[in-house]
Amino acid sequence: MLSSIDSLSALYGAQKVPTIENAKSDDEKLKEQTDAFEAIMVKVLLDTALKFDNPLYPKEAGHEIYESMYKEQLSQSLSGGFGYSDLLFNYLKEQQNLTR
């Protein structure tokens, strides 16, 4: 019985000790997520602003798919440059520091 308790405590008792490497990794992951959120916001803006409706040229098959892919790629490349990502990142870091 004692050996099963020791193995369980060894399995579940070993917790990650926060180190600088883990903190950098967590910060990088958070920055990636805030950039992804900013990309979603930019895509919504692009969907509203870029309406490629031209009555002179009829829409080809698959036009909406390519237009959506173009806007998605454009929003991904523009994300991180508007400041929303930095603002959200700093806010979440403050909230994380307050809870510790």
Side-chain angles (χ1 to χ4, degrees):
M1 183 71 167
L2 185 59
S3 64
S4 65
I5 292 174
D6 290 336
S7 64
L8 285 176
S9 66
L11 181 64
Y12 294 110
Q15 296 181 358
K16 283 179 134 178
V17 177
T19 61
I20 294 175
E21 292 94 22
N22 289 344
K24 287 182 183 178
S25 175
D26 290 344
D27 286 349
E28 289 172 0
K29 289 177 186 177
L30 180 61
K31 183 64 176 159
E32 288 176 8
Q33 293 302 312
T34 56
D35 285 347
F37 180 75
E38 184 176 13
I40 293 170
M41 291 178 54
V42 170
K43 179 149 181 359
V44 170
L45 290 172
L46 288 175
D47 286 340
T48 304
L50 297 177
K51 298 212 182 240
F52 297 123
D53 293 335
N54 191 347
L56 295 177
Y57 300 105
K59 290 186 177 179
E60 298 291 325
H63 171 77
E64 292 176 0
I65 294 171
Y66 288 116
E67 185 178 310
S68 175
M69 290 170 55
Y70 171 71
K71 290 177 185 176
E72 180 73 29
Q73 186 61 40
L74 190 59
S75 68
Q76 291 292 326
S77 57
L78 290 174
S79 70
F82 285 96
Y84 297 119
S85 176
D86 293 332
L87 183 68
L88 183 60
F89 177 80
N90 292 334
Y91 174 76
L92 291 173
K93 285 301 289 181
E94 285 179 20
Q95 295 301 312
Q96 182 183 17
N97 291 335
L98 288 176
T99 59
R100 285 186 181 179

